[in-house]
Amino acid sequence: TMEDVKIKTRTGALLTMLSAAIICTFTLVEFMDYRRVYVDTSVLVDRSRGERLSVSMNITFPQVPCFLLNLDVMDISGEHQEHLDHELVKTRLNNQMERIDDGKVNQQLKGELDRLAAQRADGYCGSCYGGLPPDSGCCQSCEDVRQAYLNRGWSFSNPDAIEQCVAEHWTERVHEMSTEGCNLAGRVTVNKVIGNFHFSPGRSYLQNHFNIQELVPYLKDGNVHSFGHIIHKFEFENEGQKHNKHLTEEMKRRLGLVFSPLDTTGSFNPTHTYMYQYFLKVVGTQYHFIDGQASRSHQFSVTNYERDLTANEKNNSPVQTTHGIMGIP
């Protein structure tokens, strides 16, 4: 009856407080759920055309001197970038992987070239020894002759027979650096199509429409120039992405995607005929925030193959295969 309800008891007070606590708890949970930001993923077809990617890299080759290390980029659109060195910095390393300050060496080399130029008669025009000469028609230095040989599709095999190389003591300087390593860091801009990065010893040249490596036949020093390496950083970025890069980095941090699959990885084998291959599948990613801002990034998966090129072709299978993945499921 109504009279029973109006009677105040301890049991009634306990039930009232318990009900109020349950109501407050449910209300708070619903409010927190309402305020929580969820990551909603979707897959769309990338219809963009003509875009370019910026590839940021930092790789160390402990047994490849900087004068040997060469990078070519090729893609299915037909673009072929040879001997890339713009926006890339090569740092010489000693046997202990410590940086070598080569400023003194560069100054000595520049001074030597200036001294040779001063000794030569006015109007001196160095021979290119049958190589394809530059626009000036003259090869004034050993490097000019070497490039002329590559332009002709010839291998630069005997620098001691080249007047410019002998005068510059080019062979001696090359052998002084033959036991060093090299760190390659910087950015490369490529087309947003299928392609490959080709790290190789010596420069490449085209012969009968094939890409041929020089393989440095003049370096007969007995040292093993293995392509064992350490990848400190390797990531993709869109051109013009820098203005909202902090948004991308913050989102990657929240999703646990700070590190790329190739960061702080590497491989080493003392055999100089060992080949390392990395097959990457890159996926463009867009982050749209609730405040209307958006940023673009890239995720990729990688498969690594290693192979000894001297092995019998019947046993040509990779000796090791690894997989790495980053991304949102």
Side-chain angles (χ1 to χ4, degrees):
T1 63
M2 293 298 296
E3 294 298 328
D4 296 333
V5 175
K6 294 179 179 179
I7 298 174
K8 299 180 180 180
T9 63
R10 293 182 178 179
T11 304
L14 180 62
L15 292 176
T16 301
M17 294 177 62
L18 181 61
S19 300
I22 293 175
I23 294 173
C24 291
T25 301
F26 284 167
T27 303
L28 181 61
V29 169
E30 288 297 323
F31 179 76
M32 293 176 61
D33 185 68
Y34 170 76
R35 294 290 299 174
R36 183 180 292 116
V37 177
Y38 290 92
V39 178
D40 184 19
T41 61
S42 60
V43 179
L44 302 174
V45 177
D46 187 1
R47 299 181 179 180
S48 60
R49 293 292 183 272
E51 292 186 355
R52 294 178 69 82
L53 296 177
S54 178
V55 184
S56 177
M57 66 181 72
N58 186 344
I59 307 175
T60 295
F61 298 88
Q63 292 187 334
V64 181
C66 287
F67 71 89
L68 280 183
L69 187 59
N70 180 67
L71 172 60
D72 297 334
V73 176
M74 295 159 280
D75 60 48
I76 60 173
S77 69
E79 181 173 334
H80 188 180
Q81 304 181 54
E82 299 178 343
H83 325 313
L84 286 177
D85 55 8
H86 60 281
E87 297 190 30
L88 290 174
V89 177
K90 292 181 180 180
T91 304
R92 295 169 55 197
L93 305 173
N94 59 21
N95 295 333
Q96 286 72 40
M97 302 287 290
E98 298 173 346
R99 177 175 178 175
I100 298 176
D101 186 5
D102 58 354
K104 183 177 180 181
V105 175
N106 290 339
Q107 292 174 3
Q108 290 177 346
L109 180 58
K110 182 178 180 181
E112 183 72 12
L113 294 176
D114 292 340
R115 183 184 63 81
L116 291 173
Q119 291 179 352
R120 290 167 179 165
D122 293 339
Y124 171 82
C125 181
S127 172
C128 294
Y129 295 86
L132 191 63
D135 295 337
S136 63
C138 303
C139 294
Q140 304 295 83
S141 66
C142 183
E143 185 62 28
D144 291 343
V145 178
R146 182 187 177 196
Q147 186 60 49
Y149 269 51
L150 295 179
N151 294 339
R152 181 71 72 181
W154 295 350
S155 177
F156 188 67
S157 58
N158 189 14
D160 293 333
I162 307 297
E163 173 194 356
Q164 294 91 324
C165 298
V166 174
E168 297 172 12
H169 304 288
W170 192 83
T171 301
E172 290 83 352
R173 296 184 185 278
V174 166
H175 280 276
E176 288 177 1
M177 296 184 289
S178 61
T179 60
E180 298 177 0
C182 187
N183 174 264
L184 181 67
R187 297 178 183 272
V188 177
T189 303
V190 297
N191 293 319
K192 195 176 180 180
V193 295
I194 299 174
N196 66 77
F197 293 79
H198 192 190
F199 297 91
S200 60
R203 297 191 176 186
S204 62
Y205 56 93
L206 292 176
Q207 190 175 71
N208 297 326
H209 303 288
F210 288 97
N211 192 49
I212 309 298
Q213 297 303 136
E214 184 186 17
L215 297 181
V216 198
Y218 50 81
L219 190 61
K220 303 178 179 65
D221 57 359
N223 294 313
V224 177
H225 298 292
S226 164
F227 254 76
H229 55 276
I230 303 171
I231 303 176
H232 308 284
K233 176 184 177 183
F234 196 95
E235 64 180 8
F236 296 87
E237 296 178 354
N238 276 92
E239 287 290 285
Q241 180 185 320
K242 297 180 180 179
H243 68 282
N244 57 0
K245 186 176 180 179
H246 66 285
L247 295 176
T248 303
E249 296 298 329
E250 177 63 21
M251 180 57 69
K252 285 184 176 181
R253 186 188 63 80
R254 292 182 180 180
L255 298 176
L257 306 177
V258 177
F259 298 101
S260 299
L262 289 177
D263 288 355
T264 66
T265 64
S267 187
F268 180 80
N269 189 289
T271 307
H272 69 280
T273 56
Y274 218 67
M275 180 176 66
Y276 306 91
Q277 292 179 300
Y278 295 89
F279 295 91
L280 279 64
K281 291 187 177 180
V282 185
V283 179
T285 307
Q286 292 186 356
Y287 302 109
H288 294 272
F289 302 90
I290 57 178
D291 60 358
Q293 298 188 74
S295 65
R296 304 177 65 184
S297 180
H298 289 83
Q299 304 172 57
F300 65 92
S301 62
V302 58
T303 301
N304 174 29
Y305 292 98
E306 301 178 7
R307 186 174 64 182
D308 187 352
L309 299 179
T310 60
N312 191 313
E313 291 186 359
K314 295 182 180 179
N315 299 322
N316 207 17
S317 59
V319 298
Q320 182 179 358
T321 303
T322 59
H323 300 273
I325 259 186
M326 72 173 292
I328 307 173

